[in-house]
Amino acid sequence: MTLIAAELFSRYASRFYEGAETADEIVDAIDLVAFSDALDIVAAVLAVLLVRKLTVMQGERAALGALPVERPTVSSQGQ
């Protein structure tokens, strides 16, 4: 979700920068672009943390080994 928000904000900041004409507008646009870059960094860090957590969870699951498959027992009562 953070990656999507960062991308949308980045597009907004880029369009604002492209439309800036005065010095004040350019400064404001650069501030938005800098904030957008910071948001991208936060999103990337969160993505790395998620991948690390998933990797740990997969390692824990793999350490349990294969679960035994229960085979149906054949009963002599039905024959």
Side-chain angles (χ1 to χ4, degrees):
M1 187 66 184
T2 308
L3 289 172
I4 295 170
E7 179 63 27
L8 292 175
F9 189 79
S10 177
R11 288 182 185 191
Y12 169 74
S14 295
R15 287 185 183 160
F16 190 79
Y17 181 77
E18 289 172 2
E21 295 179 359
T22 66
D24 287 337
E25 289 176 344
I26 292 171
V27 169
D28 290 341
I30 290 173
D31 288 342
L32 288 176
V33 170
F35 181 75
S36 172
D37 290 344
L39 191 59
D40 285 340
I41 292 169
V42 169
V45 168
L46 291 175
V48 168
L49 292 175
L50 175 69
V51 168
R52 290 183 60 156
K53 183 174 181 175
L54 288 175
T55 302
V56 168
M57 291 170 61
Q58 286 178 330
E60 290 172 352
R61 176 70 176 107
L64 293 175
L67 296 176
V69 177
E70 190 174 317
R71 295 183 181 200
T73 57
V74 178
S75 174
S76 61
Q77 291 176 344
Q79 294 178 354

